[in-house]
Amino acid sequence: MLAHRCSSRHLCPPILRPHHRPFSFTPNTGLPRLPARHDPHKVDPAPSFREEIGRTSDVESFSEAVRQPSIRNQVLFFVFGSAVAFGVAARQTNEETLQWTKKLRESGITWTLRTPTNEAMRRARQLEFAKKLQTGLNRFSTWVADWPETLRAMSVWTYAQVAQPLVQTTEGRRVCWTIGALNGLVWLAWQFPQLQPVMMRSFAHSPLSGLSYTMLTSMFSHSSFFHLLFNCMALASFGSSASQYLARTQPESLRESTSKYHFLAFFVSAGLFSGLASHVVAARITFPRLVAGLIPDAPRTILPSLGASGAIYATVTLTALAYPDAGMRLIFPPTPEFPIQYGVGALVALDCVGALRGWRMFDHVAHLGGAAFGALYYAYGPRMWEQARLRTLGGLPRSLSSS
């Protein structure tokens, strides 16, 4: 067999090979075909008018199309809610101060010659409260007189055991106990499965719901017993001191028979402010980052918040600034006494780390908002309260020194 070899001197004719294709192959001339390779010298055809319009039109991405939760209504709710709270508290304080001024002047010749002081009116209020409890005990004893002796004695003893701490404590602490009792009633409502949908909708604030009034109702809502217990203990411990400070800052030129309304307005406004801070951060920082996917391992939803921790943080911060030399100790875990400023500073630092790291066990932003409100109220609150009282005097005497 001879092998055919081509050289450069002779041109070899091309070898024709038959073209083979599979039987199932059928060319589709209706569909465009992609070129096998890109020719750099080939000029692409000019885009059509429709393609140019499509390139220049602003098409929103998914993150841009999803609307952020509103904050306007929540800001307005805080502003008007705080204004109403302080307005009602100031007016009620003015009216009760005028009433106690009249009572003391009618009680004897001592106060007819001089104006009753704030301390004198508070002592008179405390004495009248003790008399009311004594009258209630007498009526209760008469009501259970027909009961068996053992049951009657046990009932009267129980009444006395409850009334005795109320008489011996301060008015500010009684207000804190009242708030704690209200929190306890809301906690009981959480324990009924039939009420869970209502409680979740109306007593837990979710930034994604668009509701505003839940910033107020969630302040008194605790679904966990230990959350309720720790908050009530902290409120009872520091609320009385904060109330005493608010009473001490009231000038004698605008006398005040009680500071409980002032403390209630402070507590409500602090809770609203801390809830607003948490709402704004969730709506303007957390939510856009979640939608944009900048946090790959982030949770898929924003949890609702509830509890009085923000308002209690404001109370603790106000107490620490008002009484910097005071001491505090933790019950759990048990600790020796340490300066309150160090304790509050450590709590604020821990919440800062929690907010930056995205810890979700507690609402750290609400805690920081409450601490900020307490610091701001320490600096500007007493003067604002005095202006609120002056503006709500109406037809009452300006100094409340005479009727």
Side-chain angles (χ1 to χ4, degrees), residues 307-324:
S309 302
I312 294 174
Y313 256 75
T315 304
V316 174
T317 304
L318 181 65
T319 303
L321 294 175
Y323 305 100

Side-chain angles (χ1 to χ4, degrees), residues 131 184 192 259 280 350 364 382 392:
K131 290 181 178 179
F192 293 92
S259 61
V280 171
L350 181 63
H364 298 282
T392 56

Side-chain angles (χ1 to χ4, degrees), residues 224-236:
S224 169
F225 175 76
F226 290 102
H227 189 198
L228 169 68
L229 179 63
F230 291 150
N231 276 357
C232 289
M233 292 175 61
L235 179 61

Side-chain angles (χ1 to χ4, degrees), residues 17 37 72 82 93 133 165 222 229 237 241 289 321 362:
R17 299 179 182 274
R37 66 179 65 179
R72 181 190 61 182
S82 299
T93 301
L133 291 181
H222 301 76
L229 179 63
S237 300
S241 300
R289 294 176 67 190
L321 294 175
F362 302 104

Side-chain angles (χ1 to χ4, degrees), residues 15-288:
I15 302 176
L16 300 178
R17 299 179 182 274
H19 178 69
H20 297 281
R21 64 172 182 173
F23 177 76
S24 61
F25 174 78
T26 302
N28 190 348
T29 59
L31 296 178
R33 297 184 179 182
L34 297 177
R37 66 179 65 179
H38 178 71
D39 189 358
H41 302 286
K42 183 179 180 181
V43 179
D44 296 332
S48 64
F49 178 76
R50 179 177 297 180
E51 292 175 344
E52 287 291 342
I53 293 297
R55 294 178 181 179
T56 57
S57 60
D58 295 332
V59 180
E60 293 182 340
S61 62
F62 174 76
S63 60
E64 295 174 345
V66 177
R67 293 185 178 180
Q68 295 180 352
S70 172
I71 65 173
R72 181 190 61 182
N73 295 338
Q74 286 70 27
V75 172
L76 294 177
F77 186 83
F78 161 71
V79 173
F80 287 104
S82 299
V84 171
F86 277 99
V88 173
R91 181 65 182 183
Q92 192 66 23
T93 301
N94 291 336
E95 292 181 351
E96 289 199 10
T97 301
L98 183 59
Q99 293 176 3
W100 280 100
T101 300
K102 294 179 179 180
K103 286 184 178 181
L104 288 180
R105 286 182 171 176
E106 295 171 355
S107 63
I109 194 174
T110 303
W111 300 113
T112 58
L113 302 178
R114 61 192 181 97
T115 302
T117 61
N118 294 346
E119 186 62 27
M121 288 187 290
R122 294 191 179 101
R123 286 198 302 265
R125 288 176 59 91
Q126 186 75 4
L127 181 60
E128 184 176 276
F129 179 75
K131 290 181 178 179
K132 287 182 178 180
L133 291 181
Q134 183 63 43
T135 302
L137 177 60
N138 296 335
R139 291 178 178 177
F140 183 75
S141 300
T142 303
W143 185 63
V144 300
D146 298 334
W147 291 11
E149 183 178 356
T150 303
L151 183 59
R152 182 177 69 252
M154 182 64 66
S155 301
V156 173
W157 179 84
T158 303
Y159 184 100
Q161 294 301 312
V162 173
Q164 190 67 24
L166 294 176
V167 174
Q168 294 178 347
T169 193
T170 61
E171 185 181 48
R173 182 161 294 176
R174 288 197 295 268
V175 173
C176 295
W177 288 350
T178 303
I179 297 175
L182 178 60
N183 293 342
L185 292 177
V186 178
W187 174 81
L188 286 177
W190 275 101
Q191 309 312 308
F192 293 92
Q194 299 84 354
L195 298 178
Q196 289 288 329
V198 177
M199 301 302 296
M200 184 61 68
R201 181 176 63 254
S202 301
F203 286 87
H205 180 70
S206 174
L208 304 180
S209 67
L211 300 178
S212 301
Y213 73 90
T214 51
M215 291 196 307
L216 176 63
T217 57
S218 63
M219 189 191 317
F220 304 96
S221 180
H222 301 76
S223 60
S224 169
F225 175 76
F226 290 102
H227 189 198
L228 169 68
L229 179 63
F230 291 150
N231 276 357
C232 289
M233 292 175 61
L235 179 61
S237 300
F238 297 98
S240 178
S241 300
S243 179
Q244 290 180 359
Y245 167 73
L246 296 178
R248 189 185 68 184
T249 57
Q250 184 64 36
E252 290 291 338
S253 59
L254 189 61
R255 294 175 302 105
E256 184 177 83
S257 63
T258 176
S259 61
K260 66 178 182 179
Y261 300 111
H262 187 185
F263 177 76
L264 284 174
F266 163 80
F267 185 84
V268 170
S269 298
L272 292 178
F273 183 84
S274 61
L276 177 64
S278 176
H279 180 93
V280 171
V281 171
R284 290 295 179 264
I285 298 179
T286 306
F287 182 80

